[in-house]
Amino acid sequence: MSDLMLIDSKESIARLLNQEWIVSGVLQQTAFQLRLGETYLSVNRPSIESYDSDVAEFIKEHPNFQTEHGNNTYCRALMNVGEVRSMDLSFKGNTLKVDIEVEPRTSHIKSHAGIFARYNGKNIKGGQNFLVDDRGNEPISAPDILQKMRWQLLQISHVEVCEIKK
């Protein structure tokens, strides 16, 4: 674990949703997919004062995150930090020793945070292809671990349509 101040487990985080990630009104697991080389999934913290202006600025630069209902709305997947941290990643009945953590990433955007998946203290990156031999059980690949994480994030998220506030 890093020496960063942890985000409280009672707090909510929001994944801003690209229009492509919602098909016929249903959120797709691709909304939680790490791109090649990414070490964390970007989320925002609605409890931070700059959240609304951070989101407005992001959507201004990325119009595909506006809803098709008009350019003054966006969708987000809201999740509880404690639920994210307590996700149980299992493979063939065996719980993997993968730590899921939510940490602030405030260097440029105050409300920005990241969801990290770590094995043996190292970030699992998008596009990595190594095998995790966990406790002598059958090895599982990094892409399989990330897929399990995506499915669980999909299960615990609640989609909301929100108004862009400036």
Side-chain angles (χ1 to χ4, degrees):
M1 175 142 21
S2 74
D3 58 354
L4 291 174
M5 187 171 164
L6 290 180
I7 296 172
D8 191 293
S9 289
K10 294 177 187 169
E11 194 174 323
S12 292
I13 52 175
R15 174 77 168 158
L16 304 182
L17 301 174
N18 190 308
Q19 290 177 20
E20 295 174 2
W21 299 338
I22 301 173
V23 178
S24 299
V26 178
L27 181 60
Q28 305 297 300
Q29 58 94 14
T30 53
F32 302 106
Q33 185 167 339
L34 289 175
R35 291 179 290 194
L36 184 65
E38 280 186 323
T39 58
Y40 64 91
L41 186 69
S42 289
V43 291
N44 290 82
R45 301 169 63 194
S47 65
I48 300 298
E49 186 177 328
S50 65
Y51 173 80
D52 289 330
S53 60
D54 292 344
V55 169
E57 184 64 29
F58 176 83
I59 291 174
K60 180 180 175 185
E61 295 174 15
H62 303 88
N64 283 346
F65 284 79
Q66 296 175 15
T67 67
E68 56 192 33
H69 305 298
N71 52 357
N72 201 32
T73 59
Y74 69 98
C75 287
R76 68 182 183 184
L78 205 59
M79 297 162 277
N80 171 268
V81 171
E83 284 184 84
V84 172
R85 287 186 178 133
S86 65
M87 289 189 319
D88 182 19
L89 302 183
S90 298
F91 184 70
K92 294 188 177 182
N94 296 310
T95 300
L96 301 171
K97 293 186 213 173
V98 175
D99 296 315
I100 308 296
E101 190 51 74
V102 182
E103 298 175 357
R105 308 292 297 164
T106 58
S107 62
H108 296 88
I109 301 168
K110 297 283 186 230
S111 68
H112 190 219
I115 299 174
F116 294 82
R118 294 188 176 111
Y119 179 73
N120 282 338
K122 295 188 179 183
N123 293 331
I124 300 173
K125 298 179 184 178
Q128 269 184 323
N129 196 14
F130 65 88
L131 294 180
V132 172
D133 186 6
D134 198 37
R135 295 187 290 183
N137 297 319
E138 181 178 340
I140 181 171
S141 71
D144 287 341
I145 291 170
L146 293 175
Q147 181 178 1
K148 289 189 173 294
M149 185 177 85
R150 287 193 305 271
W151 282 110
Q152 287 205 21
L153 289 170
L154 182 64
Q155 297 302 313
I156 66 171
S157 65
H158 307 281
V159 176
E160 299 178 336
V161 177
C162 302
E163 184 176 331
I164 298 170
K165 299 175 185 170
K166 307 204 173 152

